[in-house]
Amino acid sequence: MIRLNRLTDYAIVVLGQLAQLRESSGAKAGDPIGSRTAAQLAQDTGVPLPTVSKVLKMLAHGKIIASQRGVAGGYTLSRDPRAITVADIITAMEGPIALTACVDGAVGSCDVEALCAMRGNWDKVNRAIRAALSAVTLQEMLSTPSAFEMFPPLAARRDDVRAQ
């Protein structure tokens, strides 16, 4: 099973909060009007403050968010939520996206690499996963389909059953 770590999940929650704040305030990327402190983000999201602080540090290092010091300081998105991809977030939180250690020409990461018939063939799978994650933005993660959009109308389902 491929699974993201919990910090990456929290990062999406924190970034979602910053994106919603930015949208509701009309602020632009990096604008201090849409700024929140770590303590405020912890309170807004319910994520513990030490965890929020760690997530913010990693996101700032990955240039997903910007920080301002001072009285009106805090954290803001470094760019529009439509320009931040899930791949960007995962890379900032977990490093390069790869299913196996033997990808993109990595050497010395496997004891049997000289004998492996699959050597280099995982690159195609990794590129596909990277492309899929790069195609989903933070903005898209914020918009949730309603329950009615996820399922066809009841009348249409009844018609399908009758047709069988």
Side-chain angles (χ1 to χ4, degrees):
M1 172 188 311
I2 300 169
R3 181 175 288 207
L4 299 176
N5 71 45
R6 186 165 290 174
L7 284 179
T8 303
D9 190 26
Y10 289 148
I12 302 238
V13 171
V14 168
L15 289 170
Q17 186 66 30
L18 285 172
Q20 289 174 338
L21 175 68
R22 181 178 170 272
E23 186 177 303
S24 67
S25 69
K28 302 276 190 248
D31 192 342
I33 295 171
S35 180
R36 295 296 268 175
T37 66
Q40 289 170 322
L41 286 165
Q43 183 178 359
D44 294 346
T45 62
V47 177
L49 179 58
T51 303
V52 169
S53 296
K54 185 174 184 176
V55 163
L56 291 171
K57 182 178 178 182
M58 295 171 81
L59 291 171
H61 186 308
K63 300 190 182 354
I64 304 292
I65 60 171
S67 64
Q68 292 87 27
R69 294 180 182 253
V71 178
Y75 295 90
T76 59
L77 295 178
S78 63
R79 54 192 190 266
D80 189 283
R82 293 174 294 227
I84 299 171
T85 68
V86 171
D88 295 335
I89 299 165
I90 293 170
T91 300
M93 297 302 296
E94 300 191 29
I97 298 167
L99 289 179
T100 64
C102 61
V103 295
D104 296 330
V107 178
S109 57
C110 178
D111 294 337
V112 295
E113 68 184 313
L115 305 172
C116 183
M118 294 296 115
R119 175 107 178 111
N121 292 328
W122 279 106
D123 290 340
K124 182 177 182 179
V125 175
N126 284 309
R127 280 192 301 272
I129 290 171
R130 224 177 283 126
L133 294 170
S134 293
V136 180
T137 67
L138 176 59
Q139 183 67 44
E140 291 171 324
M141 292 294 289
L142 293 174
S143 57
T144 57
S146 72
F148 297 110
E149 292 172 335
M150 293 176 11
F151 301 103
L154 184 58
R157 285 185 278 164
R158 285 187 192 138
D159 291 341
D160 288 344
V161 171
R162 288 183 191 136
Q164 294 174 352

